[in-house]
Amino acid sequence: MSNYEEWLQDQPAPKKKQPALVVAPIHGVLPYAGALNPLTRSDTAKRVSVAIATPMTGGIRQVYHYDGESEYAVTLDALRSPELYGLEVQLAPVYYYCRRQRGVYPHHFDLRLTFKDGYRRAVFVRNATSLAKRETQDEIDDIFAAVTEDFADDCMVVCTDDYTRAYRDNLRRIWDYLQLVDAEADKIVEDAARMTNYWYLSDLIANCDFEPGRCYQAAMRLIGQNVLWTDMHGVIDYPSRVALNA
């Protein structure tokens, strides 16, 4: 049996911190424009990189990087709004005076949403445990107080715990279906939702004299557009309870 010193020599050397991954240029896609690159290696967080088109980019897809799935889910939630014009991530720092530390520090907002009327909203994303702390609440107050009109018209806090795994999965599926334009199917399902009786999504689809697969996709788009209501924290499928939004 080898002794302790020999065993230590057999162990691999500690790994050095690796630089953030860089996405190579993609033909026909605008490059990443954030001030920070969050694509560092992590044993806990799941980094996300995606290409999204908005009116701000002229309908051309652009690369966006996210610290984790929750920040990406907030984006997908915002993209459901027809009033959204554009989005930015990993913004340039806002410098704020921290009353607790008695110094000036930088803060990079996770998201900034721009709406069609020009209104801009900066988004602060954090988990519930952190948001419950007094020091975090004080930090948020200090950061928001430092935001000027040339940066954003207002700021909001989003709790990542509100985005359950099922909610995130539903948002991803809804976003995929929103990319498939099918006005005919959307109208048929919406008309059935307004004029027939149903309880489950399967009932609504059965009331449509149309291809069930296209009706399901249309129903997902209508849910994403808030025409139909369902429990977003449960997996949306044929047995899901659905109703017209009030």
Side-chain angles (χ1 to χ4, degrees):
M1 179 182 293
S2 60
N3 60 34
Y4 180 69
E5 288 76 12
E6 291 175 343
W7 177 82
L8 278 179
Q9 293 175 1
D10 292 337
Q11 301 307 300
K15 294 181 180 179
K16 295 181 180 180
K17 185 176 181 180
Q18 300 295 312
L21 299 173
V22 176
V23 175
I26 305 171
H27 179 69
V29 178
L30 298 174
Y32 176 66
L36 294 177
N37 183 355
L39 299 186
T40 54
R41 284 74 167 175
S42 173
D43 293 331
T44 54
K46 294 182 179 180
R47 312 302 189 198
V48 177
S49 184
V50 65
I52 298 172
T54 65
M56 181 183 284
T57 63
I60 301 172
R61 291 191 303 158
Q62 182 169 20
V63 174
Y64 295 90
H65 298 327
Y66 296 90
D67 277 320
E69 291 183 303
S70 295
E71 290 82 358
Y72 177 47
V74 175
T75 291
L76 293 181
D77 220 355
L79 285 167
R80 295 197 292 151
S81 170
E83 298 304 313
L84 186 71
Y85 179 73
L87 65 97
E88 300 157 272
V89 298
Q90 305 298 332
L91 300 171
V94 169
Y95 288 91
Y96 69 99
Y97 179 76
C98 178
R99 291 168 294 169
R100 283 179 173 268
Q101 301 295 328
R102 298 193 177 187
V104 176
Y105 296 89
H107 174 74
H108 296 266
F109 273 91
D110 300 284
L111 298 166
R112 182 166 58 194
L113 309 175
T114 301
F115 298 90
K116 290 181 178 178
D117 61 0
Y119 198 85
R120 296 185 300 169
R121 174 169 293 148
V123 184
F124 182 101
V125 183
R126 195 68 66 85
N127 63 60
T129 301
S130 176
L131 290 175
K133 297 178 181 178
R134 184 69 227 179
E135 53 265 37
T136 302
Q137 298 170 22
D138 291 342
E139 178 190 20
I140 291 172
D141 290 341
D142 293 339
I143 292 169
F144 284 15
V147 172
T148 55
E149 290 183 357
D150 62 332
F151 183 84
D153 295 290
D154 78 356
C155 305
M156 69 177 296
V157 176
V158 174
C159 178
T160 61
D161 292 45
D162 293 338
Y163 287 86
T164 59
R165 180 172 181 176
Y167 197 170
R168 297 196 305 266
D169 289 344
N170 288 330
L171 286 173
R172 283 192 289 265
R173 290 193 296 145
I174 287 170
W175 173 248
D176 288 340
Y177 289 130
L178 284 171
Q179 309 314 298
L180 305 175
V181 179
D182 191 345
E184 182 183 17
D186 291 357
K187 186 177 187 310
I188 288 173
V189 175
E190 183 172 354
D191 288 347
R194 297 187 182 281
M195 296 184 294
T196 66
N197 296 320
Y198 54 91
W199 186 261
Y200 301 114
L201 178 56
S202 58
D203 300 331
L204 176 59
I205 292 174
N207 292 343
C208 301
D209 186 17
F210 208 60
E211 300 171 33
R214 289 175 66 185
C215 288
Y216 174 82
Q217 294 178 8
M220 292 293 283
R221 284 190 291 271
L222 294 174
I223 291 169
Q225 295 162 353
N226 288 325
V227 176
L228 289 176
W229 169 90
T230 191
D231 179 10
M232 291 288 289
H233 295 283
V235 177
I236 304 174
D237 209 339
Y238 288 90
S240 298
R241 168 78 174 100
V242 292
L244 273 173
N245 252 324

